[in-house]
C-alpha cells in the first residue's frame, strides 16, 4: 500500500490516503453504509454501497451496515430484511458489524443529558409553529426562544419527564443551544429530540422521545469508530453541526466527505416517487423488472458484477451529474455477453416445412453454448422437417440487400442446414401460415458444403420439440430522458412510457429451456438477453423477462465518437 497520495485517485480516496499518511486515524479505514429502512434500495444506493465497501476493502479496512432507524412511524422490519438481502446480493459483506441507530438510543440519551448539564442544550416549550417561525430564513436571523435560558436543573427535569411520557407530542422538544443567528440554518438551535408516542419496530414502547436524524447520525458514526463517513452532498450543510456535537461531547471524531448522488436518464430514484408507482399500480410491486430498485433489477436479470462495474466506471464527483442509462445497459451487456448461455427462441413464430426432409427423421445437432466462453461447451438441439422461424425473418417482397428468408434465397439455419423457401401458404385473410422450403443435406451443422456463401443466418426451433412460453418484453419505464425536469406535482407521471411492458404469449422455446431455474440468464440468439422470471417461471409454465435488447446504443455512440 502506498502512503503518498496518488493524484489519479478520486477526491475521496485522495483524502483517505492523506489521512493514512498523516496518521490521523492510525492508518485505520472504517466506513459504513447507513440506509433508512423506509423503502427498498435502488441503483443510487448501489453507488453509495460500492463506494463505502470499496474504499474500506482497498485500504484493508472495514465497512459497517447501519440502519438509521430513528423515525418509528415510517420504518419496517420488511425493509430491514430486504436491504440486507440486497447488499449481500450486490456482493458485499459487513461481517458481524450490523448496527442499528436504535441500538444506541440509551447512549444518545445519556449524551443529550451531558449536553444539558454543560448548558448547551435546553428544553423548548414553544409550539412547533413558533419554533418554525422563529427560526428565521436565509435572510432573516432567527429569534431566541423564551425558554432558551432555562436553568440546567429545570432542563434536566423536563427532559426526564419528556422521556417518562408526561407531555403530549409537540408540547416541547430538546434543542441544542448554538446560535439563532447562524448563517447556516442547521446551526440555529437544531432539535435533538421530539416526542413521538409511536411504537418502534425494534425498541417497541421503550421510548416515546426519538432522536432527530441530525442528532443521531454523527454520534452513531463516532460510537462505531467510523473514520470516513461518506455521504451525499445534501449533508454538506449538516457537517458543521455533526462536528459541533462531537466536539461538545469530546468523543471520537469521524470525518465526513460528501459526493454527488447518482442520477440516471429515463429513471426516477426518489423513494417517494417509487413508492407512488407501486401504490398506484403503475408497476407490479417493488420488484417489478422496470423498477430501478435492486430487487427490480435483480428480477430483470441484472448481474451484481454489471452494477459494480458501472459504479466503478462512473466514479464519484463533487457536483451533480446525470448519467446515461445506456451506459449502465452497456456494462450489463458486456457482462451478459461473457456469461450467458445462448439459446434459440422464436418470439413470433411462423411454420417452416422442409418438403424434402425424410419423414420422421430427428437430427440432433450440436449448438455452441457460448462463443465467448469455450468452457461452456455445446448442447444437442433437435432438428426436424417442421420448424418455427420468426415471421419477421421472411419477406414476400424483399428489399435489396435482404439477407434473410425470401422466395428463392438460400439462408443458413443456425447450427442446422442451408434452406431455400420455395413457396408460401396463406389463409383466407392473406396471412402467411406456412413457408415451404428445401434444404441441402450436405450443409449439416451450418457449414458450407462447397464454399458457396449465404449471407443470412437465422434462428429456429423444431416444432414438435418446442416448448410454449411467455416472453415479457420490458423497456425503459419513462419515455423521456429527464422525467422530473421542468414538471410540477404529478407531472412526471405523464412521461411514463406506454409500452414499457409488452407480453408475448405463444413464443416457441428451445426444449432445454423447459428446465431453466428461476433467475437463470440467457441470450436468446438474435433476440436479446432474457432471464427466467423469479416469481412466475416454473415447470410447465416458462416465463422469461427481457433484460435488455442486444443492440448497444452506448457502444455505437462510442464508436462514432472514436471515428469523428
Ligand atoms: P431518498 O432521499 O431518495 O428517499 P435516501 O437518500 O434518504 O433516499 P437513505 O436510506 O437515507 O435514502 O440512503 C442511504 C445512503 O445511500 C445515504 O448515505 C445516501 O446518501 C445514499 N444514497 C441515497 N440515494 C443515493 C443516490 N442516488 N446516489 C448515491 N447515494 C445515494
Ligand atoms: Mg436519507
Amino acid at each position: 500500500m502506498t502512503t503518498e497520495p496518488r493524484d489519479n485517485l478520486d477526491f475521496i480516496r485522495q483524502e483517505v490516503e492523506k489521512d493514512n499518511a498523516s496518521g490521523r486515524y492510525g492508518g485505520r479505514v472504517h466506513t459504513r453504509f447507513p440506509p433508512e429502512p423506509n423503502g427498498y434500495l435502488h441503483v443510487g444506493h448501489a453507488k453509495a454501497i460500492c463506494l463505502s465497501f470499496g474504499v474500506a476493502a482497498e485500504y484493508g479496512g472495514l465497512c459497517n451496515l447501519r440502519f438509521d432507524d430513528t423515525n418509528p412511524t415510517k420504518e419496517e422490519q420488511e425493509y430491514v430484511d430486504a436491504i440486507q438481502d440486497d447488499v449481500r446480493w450486490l456482493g458485499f459483506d459487513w461481517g458481524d458489524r450490523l448496527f442499528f441507530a436504535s441500538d444506541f438510543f440509551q447512549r444518545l440519551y445519556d449524551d443529550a443529558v451531558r449536553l444539558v448539564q454543560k448548558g448547551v442544550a435546553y428544553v423548548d416549550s414553544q409550539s412547533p409553529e413558533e419554533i418554525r417561525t422563529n427560526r428565521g430564513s436565509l435572510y432573516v436571523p432567527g429569534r431566541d426562544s423564551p425558554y432558551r435560558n432555562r436553568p440546567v436543573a429545570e432542563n434536566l427535569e423536563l427532559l426526564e419527564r419528556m422521556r417518562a411520557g408526561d407531555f403530549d407530542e409537540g408540547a416541547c422538544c430538546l434543542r441544542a443551544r448554538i446560535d439563532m443567528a447562524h448563517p447556516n440554518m442547521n446551526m440555529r438551535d437544531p432539535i435533538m429530540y421530539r416526542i413521538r408516542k409511536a411504537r418502534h419496530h425494534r425498541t417497541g414502547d421503550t421510548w416515546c422521545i426519538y432522536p432527530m436524524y441530525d442528532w443521531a447520525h454523527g454520534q452513531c458514526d463516532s460510537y462505531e469508530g467510523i473514520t470516513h463517513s461518506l455521504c451525499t452532498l445534501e449533508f454538506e450543510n449538516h457537517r458543521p453541526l455533526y462536528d459541533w456535537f462531537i466536539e461538545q461531547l469530546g468523543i471520537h471524531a469521524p470525518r465526513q466527505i460528501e459526493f454527488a448522488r447518482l442520477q440516471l436518464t429515463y429513471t426516477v430514484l426518489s423513494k417517494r416517487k417509487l413508492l407512488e408507482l407501486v401504490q398506484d399500480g403503475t408497476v407490479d410491486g417493488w420488484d417489478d423488472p422496470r423498477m430501478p430498485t435492486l430487487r427490480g433489477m435483480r428480477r430483470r436479470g441484472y448481474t451484481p458484477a454489471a452494477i459494480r462495474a458501472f459504479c466503478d466506471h462512473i466514479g464519484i464527483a463533487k457536483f451533480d451529474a446525470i448519467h446515461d442509462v445506456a451506459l449502465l445497459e452497456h456494462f450489463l451487456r458486456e457482462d451478459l455477453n461473457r456469461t450467458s448461455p445462448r439459446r434459440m427462441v422464436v418470439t413470433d413464430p411462423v411454420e417452416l416445412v422442409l418438403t424434402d426432409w425424410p419423414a420422421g427423421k430427428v437430427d440432433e445437432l450440436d449448438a455452441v453454448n457460448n462463443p465467448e466462453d469455450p468452457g461452456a461447451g455445446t448442447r444437442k438441439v433437435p432438428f426436424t422437417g417442421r420448424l418455427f422461424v420468426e415471421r419477421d425473418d421472411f419477406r414476400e417482397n424483399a428489399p435489396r440487400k435482404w439477407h434473410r428468408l425470401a422466395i428463392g434465397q438460400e439462408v443458413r439455419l443456425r447450427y442446422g442446414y442451408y434452406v431455400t423457401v420455395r413457396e408460401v401458404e396463406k389463409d383466407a385473410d392473406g396471412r402467411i401460415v406456412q413457408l415451404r422450403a428445401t434444404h441441402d443435406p450436405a450443409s449439416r451443422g451450418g457449414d458450407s458444403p462447397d464454399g458457396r456463401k449465404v449471407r443470412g443466418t437465422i434462428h429456429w426451433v423444431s416444432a414438435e420439440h418446442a416448448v410454449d412460453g411467455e416472453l415479457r418484453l420490458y423497456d425503459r419505464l419513462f419515455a423521456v430522458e429527464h422525467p422530473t425536469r421542468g414538471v410540477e406535482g404529478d407531472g412526471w407521471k405523464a412521461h411514463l412510457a406506454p409500452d414499457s411492458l409488452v407480453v408475448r404469449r405463444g413464443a416457441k422455446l428451445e426444449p432445454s429451456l423447459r428446465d431453466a431455474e428461476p433467475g437463470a440468464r440467457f441470450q436468446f440468439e438474435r433476440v436479446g438477453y432474457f432471464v427466467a422470471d423469479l416469481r412466475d417461471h416454473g415447470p410447465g409454465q416458462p416465463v422469461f423477462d427481457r433484460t435488455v435488447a442486444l443492440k448497444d446504443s452506448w457502444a455505437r455512440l462510442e464508436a462514432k465518437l472514436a471515428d469523428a
Side-chain angles (χ1 to χ4, degrees):
M1 204 171 304
T2 54
T3 46
E4 288 285 297
R6 290 176 282 152
D7 49 354
N8 60 341
L9 294 173
D10 62 59
F11 65 93
I12 288 181
R13 287 166 171 91
Q14 281 185 31
E15 293 306 312
V16 169
E17 296 205 355
K18 275 188 214 157
D19 290 340
N20 283 348
S22 73
R24 176 167 176 175
Y25 295 110
R28 218 161 51 78
V29 176
H30 199 151
T31 59
R32 86 286 171 268
F33 173 64
E36 188 182 350
N38 63 350
Y40 290 90
L41 298 182
H42 55 57
V43 63
H45 295 113
K47 172 174 170 178
I49 295 168
C50 289
L51 178 64
S52 281
F53 279 92
V55 164
E58 283 160 43
Y59 296 99
L62 299 169
C63 182
N64 296 358
L65 177 63
R66 178 197 327 129
F67 287 99
D68 260 321
D69 57 348
T70 51
N71 186 348
T73 56
K74 286 194 180 162
E75 296 158 2
E76 289 172 29
Q77 187 61 37
E78 176 195 343
Y79 297 130
V80 170
D81 298 336
I83 288 171
Q84 293 185 56
D85 188 47
D86 285 345
V87 176
R88 266 194 219 104
W89 176 77
L90 245 197
F92 298 102
D93 184 3
W94 54 90
D96 57 358
R97 294 173 317 283
L98 172 64
F99 295 96
F100 292 83
S102 56
D103 294 339
F104 299 117
F105 278 176
Q106 182 63 45
R107 194 156 166 194
L108 286 164
Y109 182 80
D110 294 342
D111 275 345
V113 169
R114 285 169 59 205
L115 295 195
V116 173
Q117 284 165 338
K118 277 185 76 173
V120 295
Y122 63 99
V123 174
D124 193 354
S125 303
Q126 294 183 100
S127 69
E129 294 74 41
E130 287 169 323
I131 291 180
R132 211 172 304 127
T133 323
N134 291 336
R135 219 174 150 224
S137 69
L138 277 180
Y139 311 102
V140 184
R143 262 203 307 270
D144 285 2
S145 163
Y147 305 97
R148 198 171 193 262
N149 296 319
R150 272 176 163 154
V152 168
E154 186 182 338
N155 282 322
L156 286 174
E157 190 207 320
L158 289 171
L159 177 58
E160 190 48 50
R161 290 183 57 201
M162 274 171 66
R163 179 192 179 159
D166 286 1
F167 303 112
D168 291 335
E169 287 189 9
C172 49
C173 61
L174 185 74
R175 298 179 74 176
R177 199 168 181 279
I178 307 178
D179 179 359
M180 285 307 292
H182 203 287
N184 181 341
M185 301 281 288
N186 293 312
M187 300 295 274
R188 294 187 186 173
D189 291 14
I191 297 174
M192 296 162 63
Y193 275 99
R194 74 257 199 254
I195 300 169
R196 275 272 182 292
K197 303 213 162 157
R199 210 185 146 73
H200 186 278
H201 70 105
R202 293 191 82 237
T203 58
D205 295 318
T206 310
W207 296 89
C208 64
I209 59 173
Y210 289 95
M212 298 298 287
Y213 183 85
D214 277 353
W215 165 243
H217 190 84
Q219 281 78 264
C220 289
D221 280 348
S222 173
Y223 301 157
E224 291 176 25
I226 300 305
T227 57
H228 298 87
S229 178
L230 312 179
C231 65
T232 36
L233 286 175
E234 72 271 23
F235 295 105
E236 196 166 14
N237 288 331
H238 298 244
R239 175 159 31 98
L241 175 58
Y242 299 164
D243 290 346
W244 187 89
F245 283 138
I246 296 286
E247 198 185 316
Q248 292 296 323
L249 293 167
I251 56 180
H252 161 75
R255 172 164 183 207
Q256 173 172 306
I257 310 176
E258 304 88 9
F259 61 94
R261 282 182 169 257
L262 172 71
Q263 301 180 77
L264 285 176
T265 56
Y266 299 97
T267 308
V268 303
L269 288 181
S270 128
K271 274 189 211 164
R272 193 182 52 73
K273 292 196 173 73
L274 296 178
L275 178 65
E276 232 178 291
L277 294 174
V278 172
Q279 285 177 341
D280 68 15
T282 302
V283 297
D284 174 30
W286 285 100
D287 67 345
D288 184 291
R290 291 164 293 182
M291 290 283 272
T293 53
L294 295 184
R295 318 235 106 188
M297 294 170 84
R298 185 194 316 195
R299 190 164 161 215
R300 177 78 172 254
Y302 269 83
T303 62
I307 298 174
R308 292 195 305 260
F310 168 73
C311 291
D312 272 1
H313 177 89
I314 59 172
I316 48 164
K318 259 290 178 203
F319 51 87
D320 284 315
I322 302 186
H323 288 280
D324 193 331
V325 74
L327 179 62
L328 172 61
E329 290 164 353
H330 167 75
F331 279 95
L332 176 60
R333 285 190 188 93
E334 283 219 317
D335 192 34
L336 291 174
N337 182 43
R338 267 192 306 268
T339 56
S340 0
R342 275 46 171 179
R343 292 292 183 266
M344 291 199 283
V345 169
V346 176
T347 63
D348 180 15
V350 67
E351 217 181 11
L352 177 91
V353 171
L354 299 179
T355 52
D356 54 353
W357 187 262
K361 178 176 170 187
V362 179
D363 195 358
E364 296 283 343
L365 296 164
D366 291 312
V368 173
N369 280 330
N370 184 351
E372 303 290 321
D373 175 10
T378 60
R379 66 187 184 285
K380 294 284 185 199
V381 188
F383 188 100
T384 60
R386 205 164 68 84
L387 309 164
F388 288 115
V389 295
E390 297 284 352
R391 179 169 291 280
D392 193 44
D393 275 338
F394 176 79
R395 285 282 188 288
E396 235 183 330
N397 302 301
R400 265 165 36 90
K401 294 196 179 170
W402 176 260
H403 301 310
R404 295 180 261 162
L405 297 170
I407 289 183
Q409 177 154 294
E410 192 167 48
V411 165
R412 176 191 295 110
L413 296 182
R414 189 136 167 91
Y415 308 121
Y417 291 86
Y418 285 14
V419 299
T420 308
V421 174
R422 302 296 173 186
E423 55 181 6
V424 303
E425 186 188 320
K426 297 182 182 175
D427 64 12
D429 300 327
R431 187 175 154 87
I432 295 174
V433 291
Q434 194 179 79
L435 306 172
R436 281 199 269 277
T438 56
H439 79 293
D440 178 355
S443 61
R444 185 175 187 272
D447 297 328
S448 177
D450 52 9
R452 93 179 173 270
K453 287 202 169 66
V454 294
R455 304 287 289 275
T457 300
I458 67 169
H459 59 278
W460 51 272
V461 286
S462 161
E464 73 178 83
H465 298 90
V467 176
D468 287 312
E470 175 177 321
L471 303 183
R472 297 178 183 167
L473 307 180
Y474 289 104
D475 210 333
R476 291 169 185 167
L477 192 51
F478 289 93
V480 301
E481 275 191 294
H482 307 293
T484 56
R485 192 178 279 178
V487 295
E488 279 174 33
D490 262 1
W492 57 280
K493 286 195 190 170
H495 294 313
L496 283 162
D499 300 326
S500 58
L501 169 58
V502 173
V503 177
R504 279 274 168 85
R505 299 204 173 80
K508 299 291 182 181
L509 318 180
E510 177 182 322
S512 67
L513 287 168
R514 196 198 312 265
D515 304 321
E517 293 291 330
R521 303 179 183 94
F522 300 94
Q523 184 197 98
F524 292 170
E525 296 209 24
R526 301 179 63 233
V527 177
Y529 292 101
F530 282 75
V531 59
D533 189 70
L534 278 171
R535 268 214 237 164
D536 301 331
H537 172 88
Q541 187 190 322
V543 178
F544 288 87
D545 303 317
R546 181 169 70 193
T547 307
V548 68
L550 291 175
K551 201 170 56 184
D552 188 336
S553 53
W554 186 266
R556 280 190 311 167
L557 184 69
E558 281 208 325
K560 222 191 281 174
L561 291 176
D563 283 352

